[in-house]
Amino acid sequence: MRYRRFGKTDLRLSVLTLGTMRYLASEDNARHTVQQAVSQGINHIETATGYGNSEQYLGAALLVGLPVVRSQLYITSKLIPSADPSEMERGVDQSLERLNLDYLDCLALHGINTWEHLDLAIRGMSGVQKTLEDGRVKHIGFSTHAPLEVILAAINTHLFEFVNLHYYYFFQRNAAAIELAAQNDMGIFIISPADKGGQLYTPSRRLQQLCQPFSPLMLNYRFLLSDRRITTLSVGAANPKELDWPLTVADQDGELTEEEKAVLDGLDATQGEVLGSEGCSQCYECLPCPEAINIPEVLRLRNLAVAYEMTEFGKYRYRMFENAGHWFPGNKGNRCTDCGDCLPRCPQKLDIPTLLRDTHQRLNGKEGRRLWE
């Protein structure tokens, strides 16, 4: 296991973090998953008040005891922001009670996904500051699924020591946030690189072929771990066995090899060749859409489905539109009214309405929900 400095917190975290959103089958399963992670060198565990029984299960595991002392184990929990400082302070105390802890190493304000959430966080921050002053919380950060502009604004408040965000080989929109966070010496925690990064644990046959001699998941991990600005990646294991494969890359955090670079360059070239003049470059100039369609994200999913046959991943994410609120905002492609607002703004001159309808036909299906709902 490799360890990296978590920005200005000065904590040295394992490059893999145990995320606890999926270990909820039972308290016993949670305990065994935590014990396996810690015994293999993972020293950072992330939970949240919104993850069902996650905090209680982790608290029970901590009571039983783990093969490290408390000072060698770093616990992060996440709390929905509120404009009421006293509510924020109570939320911290409730998390500590469920976790059987007297302090949190890190507290992330959970889901700063909109301008309104950022405003709430700022207004309620004095409650969090009290917990920092008396040691109930050691470090404060935020987690986000927000548009890039909101993430950059949150970083620029200089209220936070770390950020949890989405960034992967197949989603590099947040590259500017990675750079700004690094410039501000913030810890950088990548959310769900295996799942939200492309369901890379069940890749399409086409993607597997294109990534040879590597696996798609290995390449994504290596893409991220080769970036020294990034501290740690979330591994959301549902049981101890699901830790086995990620742990094989826990010491592979060097620079990309020439062979790895060549495969990644080949993926880029393939996308260009297959999509041709229909490929969306993800410039986001098409927004805002009068029908609130998240055009770039819809077309990104189309890019992946067409170029790499990542259709199942595309369906998984596309079904979240109109069903996950601010966690995955935007309407589906079939809401397009052919108003034409986006067309003159697209530097590639894409026929966006046609591509939106094509995406809907390819990827629409039964609606999805976030896991803990």
Side-chain angles (χ1 to χ4, degrees), residues 55-323:
E55 285 186 325
Q56 294 95 318
Y57 286 177
L58 177 54
L62 294 173
L63 276 182
V64 170
L66 297 172
V68 295
V69 298
R70 171 70 178 97
S71 62
Q72 296 174 329
L73 187 65
Y74 304 112
I75 307 295
T76 293
S77 194
K78 299 186 292 196
L79 181 65
I80 298 293
S82 167
D84 180 352
S86 61
E87 184 177 338
M88 298 287 279
E89 187 178 3
R90 282 195 303 273
V92 170
D93 287 336
Q94 289 165 358
S95 285
L96 290 173
E97 182 178 359
R98 287 188 289 265
L99 288 162
N100 296 309
L101 295 175
D102 54 10
Y103 71 92
L104 284 171
D105 299 279
C106 297
L107 174 72
L109 299 192
H110 191 189
I112 297 184
N113 298 336
T114 67
W115 293 109
E116 292 76 15
H117 295 144
L118 180 55
D119 179 63
L120 290 174
I122 293 170
R123 289 161 59 193
M125 188 59 72
S126 62
V128 177
Q129 289 295 339
K130 287 182 65 176
T131 69
L132 288 166
E133 290 165 5
D134 63 23
R136 283 174 286 172
V137 171
K138 303 300 184 183
H139 304 284
I140 179 70
F142 72 100
S143 71
T144 182
H145 298 232
L148 176 61
E149 295 74 18
V150 177
I151 302 175
L152 296 176
I155 293 170
N156 279 326
T157 64
H158 304 293
L159 293 171
F160 304 105
E161 297 173 88
F162 63 91
V163 58
N164 306 358
L165 78 169
H166 296 280
Y167 175 73
Y168 324 109
Y169 175 73
F170 290 119
F171 177 75
Q172 298 183 40
R173 170 65 176 170
N174 288 336
I178 297 287
E179 178 58 25
L180 184 62
Q183 289 172 5
N184 283 273
D185 194 26
M186 294 175 68
I188 299 173
F189 177 2
I190 302 300
I191 302 169
S192 189
D195 186 59
K196 305 303 188 298
Q199 284 191 325
L200 299 177
Y201 43 81
T202 54
S204 70
R205 182 176 299 179
R206 172 66 169 158
L207 186 60
Q208 291 181 68
Q209 293 169 342
L210 290 169
C211 291
Q212 288 298 321
F214 310 104
S215 74
L217 184 54
M218 166 69 86
L219 272 180
N220 192 46
Y221 279 140
R222 288 285 298 122
F223 170 77
L224 296 168
L225 291 176
S226 68
D227 188 336
R228 302 302 297 187
R229 300 171 301 177
I230 293 169
T231 307
T232 188
L233 317 179
S234 176
V235 177
N239 54 61
K241 188 169 180 58
E242 289 190 3
L243 287 165
D244 291 348
W245 197 93
L247 286 166
T248 66
V249 301
D251 61 350
Q252 298 184 40
D253 68 338
E255 294 184 2
L256 290 171
T257 67
E258 291 305 313
E259 189 174 19
E260 289 168 337
K261 292 177 184 176
V263 172
L264 293 174
D265 288 344
L267 287 172
D268 288 342
T270 295
Q271 179 166 300
E273 292 166 4
V274 174
L275 291 168
S277 62
E278 293 185 348
C280 173
S281 67
Q282 298 289 283
C283 70
Y284 280 66
E285 293 298 319
C286 54
L287 296 180
C289 169
E291 302 304 323
I293 300 169
N294 190 339
I295 297 172
E297 183 62 10
V298 170
L299 297 188
R300 181 181 78 93
L301 297 177
R302 184 183 186 276
N303 283 354
L304 299 179
V306 173
Y308 308 124
E309 298 178 5
M310 293 171 66
T311 303
E312 291 308 309
F313 171 69
K315 290 178 177 178
Y316 158 58
R317 296 304 282 166
Y318 189 79
R319 293 166 187 165
M320 301 299 289
F321 287 126
E322 306 178 26
N323 198 47

